[in-house]
Amino acid sequence: MYGVSGTGSVVGEEWGARAARSRALAVLRVRGRALGLAVLPAAVAVVLYAGGATGHFTGSGWDTARWVVTVLAVLVLLAGTAVALVVARARPAATPTVELSETAAPDLYRLVRDLADRLDVPAPAAIALTPDCDSWLEDRTHRAHRALRTPGGEGEGEGAPVLVIGSPFLWWMRVGELRAVLAPVVAGTGPAAHPDIAAARRFVRGLDAAVAVPETPGLDPFRRLGAGAVGQVARVLLRACRGHAAEMERGVAAAGSERAQAVDYGVRIVAQEQVGLAYAGWDRLLTRVALPAWRMGRWPAKLDAGVVSALTELSRRDRLADGFSSRLGERPACDLLEEPGAVDEATSLLAARLFHGGPAEPGPDWSPVEWSQYPEEVVDRKWRTDAARLHQVLDGLGLADSAAGGGGRGRGGEGVADGPTLTRVIAHLSTEPAKPADVTADVAADVDADVDDADAAAVPGDRPLPVEGADARSHDDGRVTLTDEVDIEDATDVDLDIEDDEEAVNPAAEALAGALSALLAREEAAREARVAATALTAEAAARSAERNDRHSGTTPPVVVSGPDGPLPLFPLQPPRSGRDLLADHVTAMVCCAAVDTAEATPGLDWLDGPALLVGGERAADLGPRVLALVEDGDPEPLRAWLARTGVRPEKPVRLV
């Protein structure tokens, strides 16, 4: 089944393994050519000296050639030695994981060993968990990673890779499904044990690590210059073997898949559906549920358990997921762990570090939160923080209509109450913008005034004059801002194209959104500065400990950083637009008013995150009404919703 015997291969003669080995040899040939180029000047110098010793290459010209080639050979050998040392000593990147010792998961180690025996491949050296919906083998044989690895037990080779398992799989999948999903991954330890494939992988990882050496902090200018030269050489070699390395990994994956066909093949087809479902639920849980908590300085301590609730809710809502929740009666894979709660908490903290950039350890400003406390500790606090920020921005813009003393009037003659009220927000955002005809008339009058002034003082041939004061008027009364120069002769023909705009613009909302974006940017910059300072302090402490413990052979934990600085390595969401931020803050203000003045409570929706519960039901129709106010300046849909739910917008709300 696995090929022809007698070839001397340890892992069998699957076609994928043969392809992987041929590509590994191609990678090693790149290394050999680089070595040959490094020793070529030395070989030429040896030939020249041998010719001189035998009397064939004599004369002043040959003596000069010998000296030139000798100097060149020494320089090239020194440079090649430096490159080789950097490639060999550079620390390859390691995925941040939660290490599992055999005492913490004996049943899981037993399952993996049994799987390796059935596949006739070496067992992984250790098992680690990652907060992601994926599984793979990771080589951690580099000396910088050995101290971080928890050995799997007796009889496992030091050169075997580490099995990294996505933590959501353990909580959502059943034991049989997990075994079927891991079979192709564990089968990859066979090709990984081949000397050629292992050597090619080490060479590629070393080149990849050498490319990042110039970015290492703490290098003096001279060392950074040398590291930059080594990095350039590593880039050239990496480009030369990139294609072969990619094909080698494809061959290894194909070999593992072919070998795993004999183990639980039918179950694997069903389990692959669970992989896609788990990915969807995990993504929604992180972006909709965990991210708001992380932004509040709280991290959910049971994310993996939460993904089960999210996927169960998805199966209840989606017809395509019918029947998946019935699997929950079978034994979950997390039962293979001795303390699932402790492991879930560790992976949840790691997820917060990777996807948000939180601290590595809990603290006063970074504390865990249980799901039962999420509505009060996260949802309600988030709403009140956003509402306070919204009123802070209104105060900063000088728009506290009634704060100076009683009695601004909103649109339609509505009185604006004092204090942080929803009425104040609605009255500001529902200010009706100028009509297109009025705006055109105002602009034409301004332009005519500028034309009269220009005719009195200008000479023929003067350049067109800008419309002065337009920017100030746009900020004061919300009219259109003119920034381009207007030709005097064509000033009255200015076409504002207001009627052609596809999207209604609320000037008051635009100004408020801009101020909110600026304030949030400052808060985020301050938070990132604190995280960066903490990471730099931890990194300095780690480097100091590494220097102190170098004689004992121990290695301190690695401070994980991204390519552009500290964590997060994988931000969950791109920056939000100002309009989205404003809509979120207005929604938070509405929710605060509903909680304080009506029979509403904060809640948690496993797929959509923070939710407002009115009469025990989620208020799903609030979003479009807030958007109508923010985008169109139309408060009527929101007022109708407030009247229907019994919310009193004129009452001040409680802020943080």
Side-chain angles (χ1 to χ4, degrees), residues 464-521:
L465 298 177
V467 181
E468 298 180 357
D471 286 339
R473 285 190 298 273
S474 66
H475 291 291
D476 292 339
D477 55 22
R479 294 198 311 231
V480 176
T481 299
L482 294 179
T483 58
D484 295 331
E485 294 181 343
V486 181
D487 197 326
I488 297 175
E489 297 179 358
D490 300 326
T492 56
D493 297 330
V494 175
D495 184 8
L496 299 178
D497 293 331
I498 297 177
E499 296 179 356
D500 296 336
D501 287 343
E502 299 178 358
E503 192 174 11
V505 176
N506 187 346
E510 294 295 331
L512 189 56
L516 268 176
S517 300
L519 179 59
L520 281 171

Side-chain angles (χ1 to χ4, degrees), residues 60-219:
S60 60
W62 288 108
D63 292 338
T64 303
R66 273 189 289 270
W67 279 107
V68 172
V69 174
T70 300
V71 172
L72 178 62
V74 171
L75 293 177
V76 172
L77 285 177
L78 289 176
T81 303
V83 172
L85 287 176
V86 171
V87 171
R89 294 172 60 87
R91 184 169 59 193
T95 305
T97 55
V98 175
E99 305 296 322
L100 280 182
S101 64
E102 188 170 3
T103 57
D107 292 340
L108 181 59
Y109 272 89
R110 193 176 303 112
L111 180 146
V112 172
R113 286 202 193 98
D114 176 69
L115 193 57
D117 291 340
R118 294 174 63 184
L119 294 169
D120 193 21
V121 296
I127 299 177
L129 298 182
T130 181
D132 194 9
C133 292
D134 200 0
S135 298
W136 65 88
L137 294 172
E138 186 166 302
D139 189 345
R140 296 184 180 177
T141 56
H142 193 275
R143 61 184 181 85
H145 299 152
R146 288 175 189 155
L148 304 179
R149 194 179 68 190
T150 304
E154 297 286 338
E156 279 144 15
E158 286 296 324
V162 173
L163 175 61
V164 181
I165 305 175
S167 60
F169 291 164
L170 291 177
W171 269 259
W172 176 245
M173 289 187 174
R174 309 299 99 181
V175 173
E177 295 170 346
L178 180 67
R179 180 172 55 245
V181 168
L182 293 181
V185 183
V186 175
T189 59
H194 193 277
D196 293 336
I197 295 177
R201 282 177 164 176
R202 285 195 300 271
F203 179 60
V204 173
R205 283 196 305 272
L207 292 177
D208 184 67
V211 169
V213 168
E215 304 299 328
T216 304
L219 293 179

Side-chain angles (χ1 to χ4, degrees), residues 582-584 586-587 590 621-631 638:
L582 179 58
D584 291 344
V586 174
T587 301
V590 174
D621 57 343
L622 178 59
R625 303 171 188 275
V626 172
L627 288 178
L629 174 64
V630 171
E631 296 181 354
L638 180 58

